[in-house]
Amino acid sequence: MDIRVLAVYSVMAILLVAYIVSEIVRRNGVVWPAIDYWGVAAFEIVASALCIARGIASDARQRQVPLLLGFGLLAWSLGDVAVAAYNGAPPSPGLPDAFYICFYPLTYVALMLLIRRQARRFSVETWLDGGIAGLGAAALCAAFVFQGVLKAAGGSTASVATNIVYPIGDLMLLVLVVGATAVLPTRRRLPWLMLSAGYAINAVGDTFNLFGSGIGATHVGTIFNAVAWPTSILLISSSVWVRSNPIGQRLHVSQPGFGLPGVAAVGALAVVFASSVTHVGLTALFLAALTLAAAGVRFAASLSKLRILNAERHLQAITDQLTTLGNRRALFELIDTLVDERADGSSEPRTLAFLFIDLDRFKEINDSFGHSVGDDLLRQLGQRLKNAIRTDDLLVRLGGDEFAVVLLDADVDYGALVAQRLSSRLEEPFQLGSVRARINASIGIAISPRDADDAPELLRCADLAMYRAKTDGKPFAVYSHELDELGNRIALVEDLRAAIEQRELYLCYQPQVNIDTGEIVALEALVRWQHPRLGLVPPVESLPLAEDADLMDQLTALVLDMALAQSARWRREGHRLVVSVNVSSTNLLNLEFPEVVAAALARHQVPAEALVLEITETTAITDFNRCKQTIADLKQRGITVSVDDFGAGFTSLAYLSSLAVSELKLDRSFVSGLANSTDQRNVALVRSTISLAHALGLRVVAEGVEDTASLDLLDGFECDLAQGFLISEPKPAAELELRPFTSLATDSPTVGERGERQAAADGSDGSPSRPREILPAEATRLGDAVA
């Protein structure tokens, strides 16, 4: 509010208080015409003018309400001027009544515009709440006030008709104000409180005026009759100048409640009950009946909306927001329902096949291209899987990259058929913006009630089967108690923990030779776990176990210790060999890892340049900034960091070049059978990658070398080091021959045989290397030099 306007209103408030005090102290109804008639009229005209001024000063959109309110107040004020001209005794009906009656339509229009402005999004229930509150208040007034007012409105027919206009007008005004107060979100803000209080005081003043003129005035009635209108007009006028709450507070606007509608409904009931004891009047009974009818409709609407809301919330609770598929809760609800039906015997027992689907390499796509691309992949994948099953079957997303399918009335054979169909659908590439990506999945199948009879146990069985499928490199596997329970993952974790603590793991070493000289210059340390019951557990199974069970720090520390101990022994024997050790993202994210490595080097008295730490490209992008910091720390200590399996993921060489790495290891999928490759793009990519790596100052190691022709090609491409079964398979240190590599003997194993042995050592499926589809992103990643 403007300071000048505030000053005017402050003076007027002081004058009003003084006037009220004067009314209280006066005795025997003493009237001071100069003050009671002309002074009050002048006071009201000033307040009306301020209200109109507010409308004129407002912009076009905000101008209507204050102008209408101001002209309504001015009409009432002019009525008081006319009363003063008649020295307080005007005829009835007369000129003052004409001005007074004009007040009502102008005020109704202003209030309707104000309510409409704030009620554009009101629901039917909200309008009903307002109607109940307004009608209930009208019923109470009609029952307990209106009757007395009608009795007071005596005189000629014209006089009675004129006097009845005021209670009816006030009643309608009361319905509007009370109804709006029940539902408006701004009902607790100061402007609305002042406005509604002003009209309530106006109605009280009219009531006392009619009672006083008809059945005699009391001292209290005389006071209310005198001060009600100036007080009301001052409140209404000042309300248009008061600013609404700040925007920050608008965020916490109270919602419509049930207080006023509830009180109004109870009041309507009171009117109905009162009619059985005393005379109430048809108008009051009619209004009470309308109030109760509206309350009944409101109750029915609330029940209907509650049912709809419950259904919507239940749907939201069982729906995955990203894919719009069902979620884990939907899965458990369905399985629990089938189990309950089976238990009570009320219907024919139904079997179901449960398929647990875990995506392979999804994390690489998510980390490389961003979560938005990963989300897009999940949405496309969900629809693709949904189109591959029956409409009666259920597909849900369990979370992350895990999905599940429930096949009703299905057996093992049908479950396997659907699993094969889903795997085939997933082999088709996904178009993710400008990127085409392929993704595979491992699927575990469990049957209910054969394998389990409740949701958690069925999920556990399918999870074990899925893990076995992933380990065996197969698209799916059916749960088997003999195969899966003996290799229970939880038990395996505990066995692995014990094996690490008791140093029951051992290392095999695979040589890396200088392609120019054939000399063995480095060896990669590969950890092996000989399980007392299961035999040799392949790395593809043991390493994820360690990662998931938070054992990777302990495992890497053990491998480092054993590898550096062996390196120290070789160095004492005169072999100046470099040892390579694989590390995971868990190690790189540990900022204390460089200290662990430095302590191990110092303990075995091995120089830092004799150690290479191998990371995969996906390891480096898990948390790029922290990994970058750790790698830089390692390099400052003189330790070489190598990027292993380059080309198997989605990361660009330019991206990795920002890391302090010194070596690049080409993935075996590029190198194996390179000389026999029918895809010349593969050969060009290998040559270009080697050239680009050298330009960045990186040493290049080719792993997966299986034949001399490929080795010759790599030599022509000026590759630095070679590693693979052509040179040697991984062996324990005692079985290694550390003499220079020359050439293959005539009785050497074939390329296919060497590939099978290499796959067995790596834990892969043993299939021959296949030419890879080159995606646009990979061409950008590896082929800048090709272009």
Side-chain angles (χ1 to χ4, degrees):
M1 184 182 295
D2 185 85
I3 188 65
R4 293 169 295 181
V5 176
L6 179 60
V8 174
Y9 276 118
S10 299
V11 172
M12 294 180 71
I14 293 171
L15 292 175
L16 179 62
V17 171
Y19 178 64
I20 294 172
V21 172
S22 72
E23 283 289 334
I24 294 173
V25 300
R26 275 188 269 178
R27 298 293 182 182
N28 301 322
V30 175
V31 177
W32 299 339
I35 296 176
D36 294 335
Y37 300 147
W38 294 105
V40 168
F43 180 91
E44 292 173 349
I45 288 176
V46 172
S48 304
L50 286 172
C51 188
I52 294 172
R54 178 57 171 168
I56 296 173
S58 301
D59 58 57
R61 292 177 300 176
Q62 305 293 328
R63 183 173 298 165
Q64 291 177 319
V65 172
L67 282 178
L68 287 169
L69 289 175
F71 283 120
L73 296 179
L74 182 61
W76 193 278
S77 304
L78 292 175
D80 280 349
V81 171
V83 169
Y86 284 106
N87 200 28
S92 180
L95 181 61
D97 294 311
F99 285 116
Y100 288 149
I101 292 172
C102 288
F103 162 79
Y104 291 104
L106 292 170
T107 302
Y108 294 152
V109 174
L111 287 178
M112 289 302 297
L113 288 174
L114 184 62
I115 294 171
R116 183 182 177 185
R117 183 184 300 166
Q118 301 184 30
R120 292 175 180 175
R121 298 183 180 180
F122 277 7
S123 63
V124 175
E125 292 81 1
T126 304
W127 286 113
L128 284 171
D129 286 340
I132 293 168
L135 289 171
L140 289 170
C141 290
F144 303 111
V145 178
F146 198 60
Q147 296 296 321
V149 171
L150 289 179
K151 291 179 182 179
S156 65
T157 303
S159 177
V160 170
T162 302
N163 288 333
I164 289 176
V165 170
Y166 295 107
I168 292 176
D170 289 337
L171 194 63
M172 294 176 63
L173 193 60
L174 184 67
V175 170
L176 270 177
V177 172
V178 173
T181 302
V183 298
L184 284 181
T186 57
R187 65 189 186 279
R188 293 183 182 175
R189 293 183 188 165
L190 185 58
W192 178 259
L193 290 176
M194 294 172 66
L195 196 66
S196 56
Y199 289 122
I201 294 172
N202 182 75
V204 171
D206 279 348
T207 302
F208 277 106
N209 181 54
L210 286 172
F211 272 111
S213 61
I215 59 177
T218 64
H219 181 61
V220 174
T222 301
I223 294 174
F224 270 104
N225 183 28
V227 304
W229 291 306
T231 304
S232 171
I233 290 175
L234 181 64
L235 284 171
I236 295 169
S237 173
S238 59
S239 70
V240 301
W241 286 92
V242 176
R243 292 183 180 179
S244 185
N245 292 349
I247 294 177
Q249 297 181 21
R250 294 182 188 181
L251 299 175
H252 305 287
V253 171
S254 59
Q255 296 301 314
F258 294 100
L260 278 177
V263 172
V266 172
L269 281 174
V271 171
V272 173
F273 282 119
S275 67
S276 64
V277 178
T278 184
H279 178 71
V280 171
L282 291 177
T283 302
L285 280 176
F286 178 70
L287 290 172
L290 282 180
T291 303
L292 294 176
V297 174
R298 176 67 173 93
F299 181 71
S302 296
L303 287 180
S304 175
K305 190 171 183 178
L306 184 61
R307 284 196 297 268
I308 295 172
L309 183 62
N310 285 338
E312 290 177 350
R313 288 187 174 179
H314 181 259
L315 181 62
Q316 291 175 357
I318 63 173
T319 302
D320 176 64
Q321 293 184 352
L322 177 63
T323 62
T324 69
L325 302 174
N327 59 14
R328 184 182 293 264
R329 185 179 286 107
L331 172 69
F332 278 44
E333 281 188 6
L334 175 61
I335 296 177
D336 290 343
T337 300
L338 295 176
V339 170
D340 292 341
E341 290 179 357
R342 192 182 299 140
D344 61 25
S346 59
S347 59
E348 189 70 21
R350 305 178 70 178
T351 61
L352 63 88
F354 180 81
L355 279 61
F356 186 95
I357 306 170
D358 183 73
L359 304 182
D360 301 329
R361 299 179 64 203
F362 172 75
K363 190 175 184 301
E364 294 182 26
I365 296 177
N366 213 29
D367 292 342
S368 299
F369 299 117
H371 291 286
S372 59
V373 173
D375 291 346
D376 186 21
L377 173 61
L378 291 175
R379 282 189 287 265
Q380 291 187 39
L381 183 140
Q383 291 304 312
R384 188 179 293 185
L385 294 179
K386 191 173 183 179
N387 294 334
I389 61 176
R390 302 172 300 187
T391 55
D392 293 338
D393 298 327
L394 176 66
L395 170 65
V396 302
R397 179 182 176 224
L398 296 175
D401 59 352
E402 295 178 343
F403 293 79
V405 177
V406 177
L407 307 174
L408 299 175
D409 303 315
D411 55 12
V412 174
D413 293 337
Y414 185 71
L417 177 66
V418 173
Q420 185 61 57
R421 186 191 308 157
L422 296 176
S423 298
S424 300
R425 293 290 179 90
L426 291 178
E427 289 178 358
E428 302 170 12
F430 292 87
Q431 188 67 43
L432 306 173
S434 60
V435 177
R436 292 176 70 238
R438 293 182 182 273
I439 197 166
N440 299 319
S442 301
I443 304 176
I445 305 172
I447 307 298
S448 177
R450 186 195 71 177
D451 300 325
D453 204 22
D454 61 76
E457 185 64 16
L458 193 63
L459 183 60
R460 187 189 71 85
C461 293
D463 186 23
L464 290 174
M466 180 278 299
Y467 188 72
R468 179 159 51 86
K470 190 183 294 286
T471 301
D472 295 343
K474 296 178 180 179
F476 65 88
V478 179
Y479 173 77
S480 168
H481 178 79
E482 291 75 14
L483 295 175
D484 294 311
E485 293 301 333
L486 290 178
N488 186 302
R489 196 175 189 188
I490 297 175
L492 278 177
V493 167
E494 294 307 315
D495 291 344
L496 179 58
R497 190 188 310 274
I500 294 173
E501 292 174 354
Q502 299 170 19
R503 302 178 68 90
E504 294 176 351
L505 307 178
Y506 67 96
L507 298 181
C508 289
Y509 298 88
Q510 188 169 33
Q512 298 174 357
V513 300
N514 185 310
I515 294 180
D516 288 336
T517 64
E519 180 184 0
I520 297 177
V521 295
L523 298 106
E524 182 179 2
L526 303 168
V527 66
R528 297 291 183 258
W529 179 25
Q530 187 71 28
H531 194 279
R533 186 179 71 254
L534 302 175
L536 183 64
V537 179
V540 73
E541 182 174 348
S542 61
L543 295 180
L545 268 181
E547 192 74 60
D548 294 343
D550 200 22
L551 296 174
M552 191 55 72
D553 283 333
Q554 298 94 306
L555 177 59
T556 303
L558 176 61
V559 172
L560 265 174
D561 187 71
M562 292 191 297
L564 292 177
Q566 181 60 49
S567 175
R569 283 192 290 271
W570 279 326
R571 297 181 79 82
R572 286 194 296 269
E573 295 170 2
H575 303 292
R576 302 295 179 179
L577 299 172
V578 174
V579 175
S580 296
V581 174
N582 292 279
V583 298
S584 73
S585 58
T586 301
N587 304 129
L588 289 185
L589 293 176
N590 181 3
L591 297 181
E592 298 179 357
F593 180 64
E595 288 292 341
V596 174
V597 177
L601 288 168
R603 186 167 57 251
H604 295 286
Q605 298 181 350
V606 175
E609 60 270 15
L611 176 64
V612 173
L613 297 178
E614 297 187 7
I615 63 172
T616 62
E617 46 185 314
T618 52
T619 296
I621 64 174
T622 302
D623 185 333
F624 186 77
N625 290 329
R626 288 182 63 182
C627 290
K628 183 177 181 179
Q629 181 180 348
T630 304
I631 293 170
D633 193 352
L634 291 168
K635 185 169 184 179
Q636 287 180 355
R637 299 171 186 268
I639 301 166
T640 298
V641 178
S642 173
V643 179
D644 194 12
D645 298 334
F646 182 77
F650 297 88
T651 311
S652 68
L653 184 57
Y655 187 66
L656 291 177
S657 67
S658 63
L659 300 173
V661 297
S662 303
E663 183 179 274
L664 188 72
K665 293 187 72 174
L666 292 175
D667 185 67
R668 70 181 69 261
S669 61
F670 286 105
V671 176
S672 180
L674 181 66
N676 300 318
S677 176
T678 58
D679 190 350
Q680 291 304 308
R681 292 181 303 173
N682 194 44
V683 177
L685 281 171
V686 172
R687 180 177 61 246
S688 302
T689 303
I690 294 172
S691 298
L692 187 56
H694 284 161
L696 294 173
L698 303 178
R699 182 174 60 207
V700 181
V701 181
E703 58 179 337
V705 178
E706 299 176 353
D707 57 85
T708 53
S710 296
L711 184 61
D712 290 341
L713 267 180
L714 292 168
D715 188 15
F717 296 160
E718 297 183 351
C719 183
D720 301 299
L721 306 180
Q723 175 182 346
F725 268 47
L726 174 66
I727 299 159
S728 173
E729 63 185 42
K731 296 178 180 179
E735 300 177 14
L736 281 173
E737 298 179 3
L738 300 179
R739 62 173 181 265
F741 172 76
T742 53
S743 62
L744 284 173
T746 56
D747 59 348
S748 298
T750 65
V751 171
E753 291 171 342
R754 287 192 298 272
E756 291 175 3
R757 288 160 56 190
Q758 180 74 59
D762 294 340
S764 59
D765 59 5
S767 59
S769 300
R770 294 170 294 184
R772 302 167 69 255
E773 178 182 4
I774 306 301
L775 305 182
E778 293 177 310
T780 303
R781 180 176 73 242
L782 298 174
D784 291 348
V786 176

